[in-house]
């Protein structure tokens, strides 16, 4: 039986990069087909394939790490670098939308009435639901840190409860934001104000949902004894992502909701 | 705690009877409901009390570390194989469907 003479992870051949790439092809072509021929079949097929790919790929990562022991310290270091680089790329993604917002709001054009908020736009009161949303996300930052310390100290029940509470707060934020979207006196079609508002907060909301899903997977793994007090990188990655989502909201709140109102 | 829960259900049930204006042709008293065996206080039970299931990781470690040459995405057997085949069928079928759709989309509009 051959054993490797190094601490790195030589992955088994896997079909998921191919299925993921085809999923991307189907989703993008499907988008174009939807726009021109009013059929959503291709796009939906692509989305299903994407979900199947994500589920099986990450299931395999859990198997390789938790059940096969491939996530040695050097491998874990690589995973840490990977997550940090990914979050950095997401920071740049949001930077673009903040650029768009400040470009339009710092020098409002005559078409907007030369002022910001533009003429005719009734902004949301930053001290109502948006402030509650800020409190909810900040609280969730506390609960996720509580969860981390519970895992490190081997407190199984507390870890499960604090992680569940974090996810509940995430869902509460999403629910409140959905209500705000429904009740808002302006839409995405209302000039550059509507565009910058809904695209920036919309992508943020999507990231809250993604972060909540990541944390939910961690909750399931914690319940199934996958994490040890020394080794729980999946949870740490989810917690990093969650803090990132929280910080983006703080910037959104200060810039768009508060300064921009 | 179980008694409290049982009482809540009992009052709710009785409330429903009278809220809907039903004549209690059936006795309003529900049988004593038992939801679980009496719970132990954690301090009594000692450190081996279960919380949400037992640890199956060692068994799974044994399963996934068998040297059978099966790649990780198929190592659990039948459920893995089914999911893989479904995904691959959608991949190949979807790719072909996409190429056909793009071929037709690229045709000029006959006007």
């Amino acid at each position: 039986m051959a054993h490797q003479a190094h601490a790195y992870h030589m992955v088994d051949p896997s079909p998921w990069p191919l299925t993921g790439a085809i999923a991307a092809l189907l989703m993008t072509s499907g988008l174009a087909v939807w726009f021109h021929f009013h059929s959503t079949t291709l796009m939906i097929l692509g989305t299903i394939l994407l979900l199947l790919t994500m589920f099986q790929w990450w299931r395999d990562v859990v198997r390789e790490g938790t059940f096969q022991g491939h996530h040695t310290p050097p491998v874990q270091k690589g995973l840490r670098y990977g997550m940090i680089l990914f979050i950095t790329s997401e920071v740049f993604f949001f930077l673009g939308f903040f650029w768009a917002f400040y470009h339009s709001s710092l020098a409002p054009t005559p078409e907007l009435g030369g002022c910001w908020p533009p003429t005719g736009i009734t902004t949301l009161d930053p001290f109502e639901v948006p402030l509650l949303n800020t409190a909810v996300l900040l609280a969730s930052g506390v609960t996720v840190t509580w969860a981390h310390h519970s895992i490190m100290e081997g407190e199984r029940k507390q870890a499960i409860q604090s992680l569940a509470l974090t996810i509940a707060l995430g869902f509460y934020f999403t629910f409140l934001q959905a209500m705000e979207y429904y009740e808002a006196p302006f839409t995405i079609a209302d000039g550059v104000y509507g565009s910058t508002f809904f695209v920036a907060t919309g992508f943020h909301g999507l990231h809250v949902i993604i972060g909540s899903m990541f944390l939910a997977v961690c909750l399931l793994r914690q319940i199934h004894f996958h994490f040890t007090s020394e080794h729980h990188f999946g949870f740490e990655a989810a917690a990093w992502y969650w803090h990132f989502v929280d910080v983006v909201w703080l910037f959104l709140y200060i810039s768009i909701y508060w300064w921009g109102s | 705690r179980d008694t409290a829960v049982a009482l809540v259900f009992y009052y709710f049930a009785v409330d429903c009877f009278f809220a809907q204006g039903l004549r209690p042709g059936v006795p309003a008293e529900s049988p004593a409901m038992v939801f679980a065996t009496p719970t132990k206080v954690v301090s009594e039970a000692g450190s081996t009390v279960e919380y949400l299931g037992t640890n199956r990781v060692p068994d799974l470690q044994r399963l996934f570390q068998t040297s059978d040459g099966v790649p990780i995405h198929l190592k659990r057997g039948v459920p893995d194989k089914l999911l893989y085949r479904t995904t691959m069928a959608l991949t190949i079928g979807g790719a072909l469907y996409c190429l056909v759709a793009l071929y037709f989309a690229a045709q000029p509009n006959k006007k």
Side-chain angles (χ1 to χ4, degrees):
Chain A
M1 191 160 61
H3 288 111
Q4 61 187 47
H6 59 81
Y8 296 94
H9 183 192
M10 303 303 285
V11 204
D12 286 341
S14 170
W16 312 132
L18 175 67
T19 61
I22 299 291
L25 170 68
L26 264 49
M27 281 175 80
T28 48
S29 325
L31 200 64
V33 164
W34 181 36
F35 290 164
H36 292 275
F37 305 104
H38 306 289
S39 162
T40 53
T41 312
L42 199 55
M43 192 172 65
I44 290 170
L45 186 55
T47 312
I48 292 171
L49 204 47
L50 179 71
L51 291 168
L52 282 169
T53 302
M54 291 196 292
F55 172 75
Q56 291 172 98
W57 190 324
W58 286 322
R59 174 206 67 190
D60 289 353
V61 173
V62 169
R63 287 177 176 181
E64 289 159 359
T66 307
F67 304 142
Q68 291 188 329
H70 280 295
H71 292 180
T72 59
V75 172
Q76 206 193 112
K77 195 166 161 202
L79 293 169
R80 283 173 190 274
Y81 272 128
M83 193 65 198
I84 288 167
L85 288 169
F86 173 65
I87 291 177
T88 307
S89 77
E90 295 253 76
V91 168
F92 281 103
F93 179 72
F94 277 99
L95 259 163
F97 297 118
F98 277 100
W99 183 350
F101 170 74
Y102 279 111
H103 174 97
S104 310
S105 57
L106 284 168
T109 61
E111 289 85 354
L112 305 173
C115 55
W116 193 275
T119 314
I121 294 282
T122 345
T123 60
L124 299 170
D125 186 343
F127 299 107
E128 291 189 356
V129 175
L131 186 59
L132 173 60
N133 272 341
T134 307
V136 167
L137 281 186
L138 286 173
S140 71
V142 170
T143 54
V144 81
T145 307
W146 173 19
H148 191 195
H149 284 269
S150 304
I151 291 174
M152 290 191 287
E153 283 154 33
E155 293 274 1
R156 175 176 167 75
K157 198 162 86 158
Q158 278 198 45
I160 289 169
Q161 289 174 345
S162 50
L163 191 41
L165 187 50
T166 309
I167 296 164
L169 286 167
F171 284 158
Y172 186 36
F173 175 93
T174 304
F175 169 75
L176 286 168
Q177 195 67 327
M179 292 280 101
E180 281 285 272
Y181 270 29
Y182 185 73
E183 301 285 337
F186 54 86
T187 71
I188 196 171
D190 286 324
V192 75
Y193 184 88
S195 304
T196 50
F197 180 91
F198 283 106
V199 170
T201 61
F203 271 118
H204 173 261
L206 177 65
H207 284 71
V208 171
I209 292 167
I210 292 168
S212 304
M213 296 289 105
F214 196 171
L215 287 167
V217 168
C218 287
L219 177 60
L220 278 172
R221 294 187 67 201
Q222 164 64 11
I223 290 171
H224 286 104
F225 297 89
H226 289 197
F227 298 136
T228 71
S229 54
E230 305 288 303
H231 189 161
H232 43 264
F233 176 64
F235 172 81
E236 288 184 65
W240 290 350
Y241 195 80
W242 193 251
H243 288 304
F244 153 71
V245 157
D246 191 4
V247 169
V248 170
W249 170 258
L250 293 174
F251 278 98
L252 280 172
Y253 181 71
I254 302 289
S255 308
I256 297 183
Y257 284 92
W258 196 348
W259 176 83
S261 71
Chain B
R1 186 193 70 172
D2 291 326
T3 326
V5 173
L7 271 170
V8 167
F9 273 104
Y10 167 63
Y11 285 126
F12 180 72
V14 170
D15 224 68
C16 281
F17 258 136
F18 291 105
Q20 292 165 15
L22 288 171
R23 277 185 296 114
V26 175
E29 257 177 278
S30 45
M33 290 182 272
V34 178
F35 290 92
T37 50
T39 38
K40 267 188 193 164
V41 175
V42 173
S43 52
E44 289 173 353
S47 57
T48 51
V49 146
E50 276 179 29
Y51 186 77
L52 289 178
T54 51
N55 189 352
R56 299 222 151 80
V57 172
D59 301 326
L60 288 162
Q61 284 172 332
R62 226 169 291 123
L63 167 68
F64 283 101
Q65 286 177 38
T66 53
S67 283
D68 53 7
V70 177
I72 191 74
H73 66 281
L74 295 168
K75 217 158 168 82
R76 209 159 184 175
V78 177
D80 285 359
K81 205 162 64 169
L82 285 171
L83 205 53
Y84 165 72
R85 287 183 179 184
T86 309
T87 310
M88 221 20 143
L90 287 174
T91 305
I92 307 222
L96 291 169
Y97 178 52
C98 180
L99 292 174
V100 168
L102 286 173
Y103 171 77
F104 283 113
Q107 302 304 313
N109 228 335
K110 294 187 197 104
K111 260 196 178 161

